Amino acid sequence: MRIDKDRLIGILLVSPSIIAVAIFIYGFIGWSGRVSLSAWKGLNPDYTWVGLKNYINLFSDPRFQVDIRNTVIFTVLFVAGALILGLILAILLDQDLRGESIFRTIFLFPMAISYIVTGVVWRWLMNPAQGERMSGFNILFDKLGLDFLINKWYTTPEWGIAFIAIPAIWQMSGYVMALYLSGLRAIPQELREAARVDGATEVQIYRHIILPLIRPITLSAMIILGHISLKVFDLIISTVGKQLQLDVPAIYMWQTTFDGHFFGRGAAISILLLLSVAVLVIPYLRYSLKTEESL
Amino acid sequence: MQKKLFVFISVLLIAAFVLSGCTPKPTDVVKTEEPKPASSQVEVFSWWTGGGEAAGLEAMQKVFATKYPNIEFVNAAVAGGAGTNAKAVLATRLQAGNPPDSWQGHAGQELIGTYVDGNQIEPLNFLYEEEGWLDVMPETLIPLISKDGKIYSVPVNIHRANVLWYNPKVLADNNIAVPTTMDEWFAALDALKAAGVETPLAMGEQWTAMHLFETVLLGTLGNDKYNGLWDGTTDWAGADVTAAIDNYIKLLEYTNSDATSLTWQDASQLVVNGQAAFNVMGDWAEGYFRELGKAPETEYGWAPVPGTVGTFQFLSDSFVLAMNAPHRDAAIAWLKIAGSKEGQDAFNPVKGSIPARKDGDRALYGVYLQSAMDDWNSNVVVGSLTHGVVANDSWKSEIDTALGLFLSAKDGKAFQDALAAACKSSGPCK
């Protein structure tokens, strides 16, 4: 095959980034994989082969079981919460409101904030202190007479992690709203009108026409939120610090590697995190590549 | 039009990357003296970048400059994460064979387990002999900062871990004397609870729970058995540790329910605010109480944690000598200052800690620190777990995990099994 000049220049131009990505991303993934199969513990590298021992130990490690449980609870609540809230906001904004762009900006704005800031602010809002030291939402509920809402927030035994989903939903639902809004705008007005002519109620229109049409957006949003949720780290660290009750794999990896010098175990956790995200993202990438090709 | 804009932005971005490569690294060397011809230099690495620590380092550096005017002091401090960032930078430099001449670390196993096992620091016995430090530092301190008879660091300051802070007014109002044994402590806590004190014992986030646990271990086991935990002669699965865990479980019943949401400052502050009666925290809390404008003895009182009277559970920042230090002689000169009376009396009053030497000038220190100096000179010295003296980093992180699981499940048996397993996997137990 003859390579024309444009094509050659193109290849030359992208090659530095391809090489950089190959080394600094895939090379290091491979290296982490190798470390995860080693007995490396301590300051000096030790590549003694131990096979899958680090992985097997993790699955009998009570801390890792806490991590998996926490991740599942957080992911389910966060993804479902952000999708539902995002969809409701999008539908409301789609009603030809006055000042729509102002609301859109307001709802989208939390996404511009870093998780660290969100975490610090919500640490104050969700202050679990009760009695005379009460503050944050608890004192608001107290003043409004809504005493039954006063609770322990993220210090609730067993279910503390569920409350961490609240700031995450607050931060990301605006983004989901933007995704849905663009989807809603893409639906031709004629479809709704035709349905109305046929005597469908508004609820039926959403149920049978709009929602099925925006299903691809739901899928994209789920993938984006899902991989954020599996990798959650900064939000938890800035809200509660290093507390095992609210531990997730990324925090375990950080602590065991850099505080405890268990490099082999830390690498195994990172590889498991990578695989869990890959399980989510790769089918989606294949699906979207296919749909692009068919277009 | 759009294409032009795109090209313009690309050029800007590339320029930004190239230029940022030219600027000095943000964590780079802070030179504190005006450049002058120096015959040598010493690069000292630490995470003392703010507050009393940085001011203390500066004070000690002044002493160094008057004694060794020909050696330039290069302060290679790295900020952030209570030393986490600095340790990561240091590890990278050591792996690249580019060590600083001397660096800061918690005295004891945290240093030994990481840097001696990694063959990165030199023993300093010769310096201790030359300078006569063995005579001025407590006898029981030396084994805790040594391995196989070799001493590996020069402790600059000493903090005490086993301090029970109390609110004198709250105790007086309820007719309670300062407890000295575990039983007296439980009786006092019961009385306070019955009198309606909301939080008899204040506690904060997870590491403060570990801090409390180590003092309860010490208070329940006594010095010898406590020391035995760390060299493998006391059985982690034995009845003594079970008793300590039982005491710990009992104590947790008197703590505030929102502990996980409080920093150590928040928890200590409950005592001086009169919202809690007791708090167990290291004596850096005293510096914090002073910052809050509270008066010693009337607004806050202190005592050894019940069961640990006569014992000084210490932690210390210390400096080491790098293996193959680029400027070995200058580094030794720096260590001589770090271990000298002058150097330590310059550093500690500013930092709010006491000198590791027994001959510090008492007049320079406040009333609490004077009492700590008296105890340092007369008590038996044992090491702290949470602050790196008795266990290496790996072991400590395994204990931390066991403790974290215990704090959510409150299963004492599982906790003890996990502690015994941690000693086997990362400690000296076989």
Side-chain angles (χ1 to χ4, degrees):
Chain A
M1 195 181 81
R2 204 177 65 91
I3 299 174
D4 61 46
K5 208 173 145 205
D6 272 1
R7 205 182 158 89
L8 191 68
I9 290 176
I11 290 174
L12 276 178
L13 280 174
V14 293
S15 60
S17 59
I18 289 180
I19 292 169
V21 167
I23 295 174
F24 292 107
I25 297 182
Y26 294 96
F28 284 140
I29 289 175
W31 187 53
S32 297
R34 176 65 187 88
V35 171
S36 76
L37 302 172
S38 77
W40 183 356
K41 172 181 165 187
L43 192 63
N44 296 336
D46 167 11
Y47 293 104
T48 316
W49 181 268
V50 294
L52 292 173
K53 193 164 156 257
N54 285 323
Y55 293 92
I56 294 165
N57 287 348
L58 273 180
F59 283 103
S60 58
D61 180 342
R63 177 168 179 176
F64 199 64
Q65 284 159 9
V66 171
D67 293 355
I68 292 174
R69 178 180 175 277
N70 282 347
T71 307
V72 170
I73 295 175
F74 179 78
T75 304
V76 168
L77 291 175
F78 166 55
V79 173
L83 283 180
I84 293 169
L85 195 62
L87 181 62
I88 293 174
L89 290 175
I91 290 174
L92 290 178
L93 279 188
D94 196 34
Q95 310 299 318
D96 288 327
L97 288 178
R98 271 165 63 89
E100 184 208 308
S101 64
I102 296 173
F103 285 112
R104 210 170 48 208
T105 315
I106 290 174
F107 292 143
L108 201 53
F109 197 66
M111 211 188 108
I113 298 172
S114 111
Y115 263 142
I116 300 288
V117 179
T118 308
V120 171
V121 171
W122 282 82
R123 178 190 171 94
W124 296 329
L125 292 176
M126 300 196 293
N127 189 322
Q130 300 187 7
E132 52 176 321
R133 290 188 286 113
M134 200 146 60
S135 73
F137 281 134
N138 277 357
I139 205 162
L140 181 73
F141 294 149
D142 184 52
K143 292 267 190 297
L144 293 175
L146 301 168
D147 285 14
F148 63 95
L149 281 175
I150 294 175
N151 67 72
K152 292 178 160 180
W153 300 102
Y154 53 84
T155 59
T156 309
E158 306 274 311
W159 292 94
I161 189 74
F163 291 91
I164 302 292
I166 297 173
I169 292 170
W170 174 80
Q171 175 141 7
M172 292 308 290
S173 54
Y175 174 66
V176 177
M177 173 209 75
L179 288 179
Y180 274 131
L181 200 56
S182 66
L184 290 173
R185 293 284 150 84
I187 297 172
Q189 208 56 39
E190 293 79 34
L191 278 180
R192 299 179 195 227
E193 276 160 18
R196 277 190 202 111
V197 170
D198 288 344
T201 65
E202 284 301 305
V203 174
Q204 281 175 324
I205 292 175
Y206 275 101
R207 171 84 183 73
H208 296 289
I209 297 177
I210 312 271
L211 287 184
L213 280 173
I214 55 175
R215 195 175 289 153
I217 292 178
T218 307
L219 185 65
S220 310
M222 274 176 79
I223 302 295
I224 292 166
L225 298 176
H227 91 272
I228 291 176
S229 155
L230 289 173
K231 295 189 295 191
V232 64
F233 172 82
D234 39 6
L235 179 66
I236 296 182
I237 286 291
S238 57
T239 315
V240 292
K242 300 177 189 175
Q243 311 271 2
L244 214 143
Q245 292 170 36
L246 300 168
D247 203 42
V248 289
I251 296 177
Y252 188 14
M253 179 269 156
W254 178 54
Q255 274 193 288
T256 204
T257 311
F258 298 108
D259 293 350
H261 309 300
F262 291 98
F263 286 89
R265 186 196 292 163
I269 298 171
S270 333
I271 294 292
L272 287 175
L273 260 180
L274 178 75
L275 290 178
S276 66
V277 174
V279 163
L280 196 68
V281 172
I282 289 176
Y284 172 69
L285 285 180
R286 285 190 55 184
Y287 163 81
S288 54
L289 281 179
K290 250 191 222 156
T291 36
E292 266 173 38
E293 271 167 19
S294 67
L295 282 176
Chain B
M1 178 59 216
Q2 249 185 354
K3 202 169 176 187
K4 256 189 191 164
L5 189 72
F6 176 73
V7 170
F8 177 69
I9 290 174
S10 313
V11 169
L12 260 186
L13 279 177
I14 291 168
F17 280 125
V18 171
L19 287 177
S20 68
C22 301
T23 55
K25 276 179 280 168
T27 53
D28 248 1
V29 169
V30 186
K31 283 186 186 152
T32 40
E33 274 174 70
E34 58 277 15
K36 61 181 174 200
S39 55
S40 178
Q41 61 167 16
V42 57
E43 187 187 5
V44 176
F45 185 97
S46 72
W47 54 88
W48 287 339
T49 53
E53 304 176 330
L57 182 63
E58 203 176 305
M60 196 155 58
Q61 195 184 317
K62 277 194 190 120
V63 177
F64 180 73
T66 50
K67 287 270 163 99
Y68 298 97
N70 293 329
I71 304 176
E72 185 195 358
F73 184 92
V74 180
N75 181 358
V78 172
T84 314
N85 295 356
K87 283 180 204 168
V89 171
L90 181 61
T92 316
R93 288 188 59 173
L94 293 178
Q95 282 169 5
N98 171 31
D101 296 304
S102 179
W103 63 84
Q104 171 206 0
H106 280 145
Q109 295 301 321
E110 185 176 314
L111 272 180
I112 291 169
T114 307
Y115 303 116
V116 175
D117 293 355
N119 206 23
Q120 299 285 0
I121 52 178
E122 272 192 47
L124 296 169
N125 295 47
F126 70 95
L127 204 55
Y128 274 74
E129 277 157 26
E130 268 172 40
E131 300 290 308
W133 289 341
L134 290 170
D135 303 323
V136 293
M137 292 191 194
E139 211 179 322
T140 37
L141 165 70
I142 303 299
L144 294 169
I145 58 173
S146 315
K147 187 187 180 187
D148 303 331
K150 289 178 184 150
I151 311 171
Y152 281 99
S153 65
V154 179
V156 173
N157 67 344
I158 299 295
H159 276 296
R160 187 175 194 171
N162 62 326
V163 188
L164 177 72
W165 303 99
Y166 59 86
N167 186 308
K169 192 170 170 295
V170 173
L171 293 201
D173 288 351
N174 294 291
N175 278 325
I176 289 168
V178 179
T180 55
T181 64
M182 279 286 168
D183 289 335
E184 284 176 27
W185 199 12
F186 286 126
L189 291 165
D190 278 333
L192 289 163
K193 207 172 190 179
V197 174
E198 200 179 336
T199 308
L201 175 63
M203 193 176 83
E205 56 191 315
Q206 193 170 319
W207 76 260
T208 70
M210 192 202 259
H211 189 111
L212 177 64
F213 180 59
E214 73 178 41
T215 61
V216 173
L217 269 178
L218 178 64
T220 313
L221 270 68
N223 299 338
D224 292 340
K225 282 183 185 162
Y226 175 80
N227 283 333
L229 289 173
W230 313 110
D231 61 19
T233 52
T234 303
D235 184 8
W236 280 92
D240 298 313
V241 176
T242 312
I245 292 174
D246 288 344
N247 279 339
Y248 186 57
I249 292 174
K250 255 199 257 176
L251 278 179
L252 291 179
E253 285 165 18
Y254 301 98
T255 58
N256 38 313
S257 62
D258 61 339
T260 49
S261 71
L262 302 186
T263 62
W264 72 263
Q265 288 99 328
D266 297 333
S268 297
Q269 202 176 352
L270 293 181
V271 172
V272 285
N273 288 352
Q275 289 162 324
F278 297 112
N279 173 231
V280 173
M281 186 35 58
D283 60 7
W284 46 91
E286 212 258 343
Y288 181 61
F289 296 153
R290 282 176 177 276
E291 242 172 71
L292 294 174
K294 302 290 179 182
E297 288 170 330
T298 52
E299 288 177 288
Y300 61 88
W302 59 88
V305 171
T308 70
V309 181
T311 304
F312 194 111
Q313 191 176 29
F314 92 106
L315 58 126
S316 160
D317 288 300
S318 64
F319 283 94
V320 302
L321 176 59
M323 192 72 87
N324 306 320
H327 312 95
R328 188 168 182 274
D329 291 341
I332 289 172
W334 161 249
L335 292 175
K336 280 182 184 168
I337 296 298
S340 71
K341 180 172 183 303
E342 240 185 314
Q344 300 206 345
D345 274 344
F347 179 85
N348 287 298
V350 186
K351 162 85 164 56
S353 47
I354 63 168
R357 300 171 63 107
K358 296 196 275 186
D359 58 358
D361 181 358
R362 287 174 58 94
L364 295 170
Y365 299 87
V367 50
Y368 165 74
L369 290 175
Q370 285 184 0
S371 83
M373 287 168 89
D374 292 341
D375 287 349
W376 178 246
N377 294 353
S378 59
N379 284 1
V380 175
V381 173
V382 301
S384 156
L385 160 68
T386 315
H387 308 282
V389 182
V390 290
N392 62 47
D393 283 343
S394 301
W395 191 5
K396 188 181 119 188
S397 85
E398 296 291 77
I399 294 175
D400 187 42
T401 295
L403 178 69
L405 291 168
F406 165 73
L407 288 174
S408 37
K410 297 276 159 57
D411 179 347
K413 176 76 176 64
F415 184 32
Q416 191 168 6
D417 290 347
L419 289 173
C423 182
K424 281 206 180 74
S425 70
S426 301
C429 303
K430 287 285 157 316

